[in-house]
Amino acid sequence: MERTFVMIKPDGVGRGLAGDVISRYEKRGLKLVALKMQHLTAAQAERHYGEHKGKSFYNELVSFITSGPSIQIVLEGKDAVAQVRKMHGATNCLDALPGTIRGDFGLSNQKNLVHASDSPETAAREIALYFEEDEIISYELPIAEWLR
Ligand code: CMP
């Protein structure tokens, strides 16, 4: 099964939406296999968002993502990367369709509640930024046969 990395950003945690967001992944049929909450350091944020260095919004992005606690999650499931990107909606919440997490809860381009990997290769890189391999739990959901 494919893995993807998700982060519930400080605005998602601060607004009390973490439970709602996690519940959507579970209801969709994605399996939680790792989860932690931490207040990211600037060094962690810079490693995560290195590809955006030099862009006009980079400094603001680093300061936003380190402004409060965030939740790091690994999800497993069929086409997990693409499914989670669809569930999140467009990067700018104002362009995100109703029914998506950003379209239902957000109004901002930067404070867009959640981050998800954009490819399986990115997922592997981002998972390794936050989790040791032995922190990712292998188990079977009793409902697994319905999700294949
Ligand atoms: P994310 O999916 O975490 O990946 C990069 C982040 O940069 C993105 O979500 C937004 O939070 C942020 N971002 C992208 N474009 C802009 C922008 N034009 N202004 C402010 N923030 C942006």
Side-chain angles (χ1 to χ4, degrees):
M1 280 290 180
E2 189 167 273
R3 282 181 183 169
T4 193
F5 172 79
V6 165
M7 176 152 48
I8 304 178
K9 299 184 182 185
D11 56 332
V13 174
R15 290 179 52 197
L17 295 171
D20 254 304
V21 169
I22 292 170
S23 175
R24 287 185 182 217
Y25 303 136
E26 291 181 300
K27 287 179 187 152
R28 185 73 194 266
L30 294 157
K31 182 163 68 169
L32 288 164
V33 294
L35 187 150
K36 64 173 70 162
M37 182 184 223
Q38 54 188 325
H39 195 139
L40 295 189
T41 63
Q44 281 176 305
E46 283 167 16
R47 272 198 296 277
H48 184 114
Y49 283 124
E51 66 182 289
H52 296 295
K53 199 167 182 139
K55 293 187 184 163
S56 58
F57 57 85
Y58 177 75
N59 290 342
E60 259 185 55
L61 175 60
V62 169
S63 101
F64 160 59
I65 209 72
T66 58
S67 65
S70 54
I71 297 175
Q72 291 70 40
I73 300 172
V74 182
L75 294 170
E76 230 174 63
K78 194 155 66 174
D79 298 323
V81 169
Q83 296 311 328
V84 170
R85 297 279 292 189
K86 275 191 202 157
M87 291 174 74
H88 284 188
T91 301
N92 186 342
C93 297
L94 293 173
D95 297 326
L97 293 175
T100 64
I101 290 168
R102 291 168 177 155
D104 285 349
F105 299 132
L107 288 169
S108 165
N109 197 7
Q110 180 190 78
K111 296 185 184 65
N112 61 358
L113 301 158
V114 279
H115 164 84
S117 310
D118 61 9
S119 69
E121 295 71 32
T122 309
R125 185 184 75 79
E126 292 179 344
I127 290 168
L129 286 178
Y130 297 100
F131 295 95
E132 301 296 331
E133 193 53 41
D134 66 4
E135 292 179 304
I136 301 173
I137 311 297
S138 176
Y139 67 105
E140 272 291 311
L141 286 172
I143 56 165
E145 70 177 272
W146 302 108
L147 303 174
R148 286 190 233 279

